[in-house]
Amino acid sequence: MMAFTVLHVCMGNICRSPMAERLLVLAAQQRLGKQDPDADLDDLLVSRSAGTGGWHEGEEMNPPAARQIRLRGASTEGFTARKLTGAQLAEADLVLTATADQSDYVHALLPGASSRTFVLGHFARLLRDLDPKGLPAGGTDPESFAARAAALVEAADSLRADGEPLPADDLDDPWGRGDQTFQRIGDDIEESLFPLVDVLLPGAPRSA
């Protein structure tokens, strides 16, 4: 059974999408630790990222982004920027983009990924409107977790028929700006990821 794979996409893959990649892992680890300390997150969830540009391929993440990740308690180890490919999209169960333009890029690159591709901010709004009672029970074994995660993506895709992403759903590009901007973007990313973790791993409070 393959772990549920989330692919985060921005332009250069050195600021926004790496932050989302690592902060999702942090939030899920915190939740899983309260729910089932013996469970291995790697068996349940894989968080990756890539960029639509490609000119930073092979680089480390931008230093202010890395600082935000470490300040929040997540790891920056082992990260190198990647250019987005159709193969990466094909492997992903959920694609979360920083902006609507990047979602359009995904749709053009692999039309078959459209039903599981969302702007991160829009996806968070959809999950806040989703009734989790209609999803499979889930759990911390890989098969149950994957079933709930897949149903979540399908339900979110159905919900977005009622409205398109809003300009406010886009994440600002903090590249070249100061730590204060990166802190704000990190906060926005976390607030958008928390609803996903809440639905995937219900039943225990997030760590403070």
Side-chain angles (χ1 to χ4, degrees), residues 10-93:
C10 70
M11 183 179 293
N13 193 215
I14 58 170
C15 297
R16 291 168 291 180
S17 57
M19 292 169 73
E21 172 190 326
R22 299 306 172 97
L23 293 176
L24 175 58
V25 170
L26 176 65
Q29 285 174 332
Q30 290 173 336
R31 173 60 64 89
L32 190 62
K34 288 180 175 292
Q35 193 176 83
D36 186 351
D38 295 326
D40 187 347
L41 184 64
D42 291 341
D43 293 335
L44 306 178
L45 177 69
V46 172
S47 186
R48 295 174 176 152
S49 63
T52 59
W55 47 86
H56 295 292
E57 190 169 16
E59 294 182 14
E60 297 179 351
M61 66 182 74
N62 198 235
R67 282 195 291 274
Q68 283 301 313
I69 291 171
R70 290 192 293 265
L71 283 170
R72 294 161 197 264
S75 172
T76 60
E77 290 298 315
F79 178 84
T80 55
R82 303 191 303 168
K83 163 72 173 169
L84 182 66
T85 66
Q88 294 162 6
L89 293 172
E91 293 172 356
D93 299 298

Side-chain angles (χ1 to χ4, degrees), residues 114-161:
S114 297
S115 64
R116 47 194 165 87
T117 300
F118 303 80
V119 178
L120 175 59
H122 187 211
F123 187 67
R125 289 196 295 109
L126 292 173
L127 292 194
R128 292 184 183 107
D129 292 336
L130 185 147
D131 183 359
K133 295 177 183 176
L135 301 177
T140 57
D141 71 275
E143 186 172 355
S144 298
F145 182 90
R148 183 176 179 89
L152 180 158
V153 174
E154 185 176 349
D157 185 42
S158 297
L159 282 173
R160 67 172 157 188

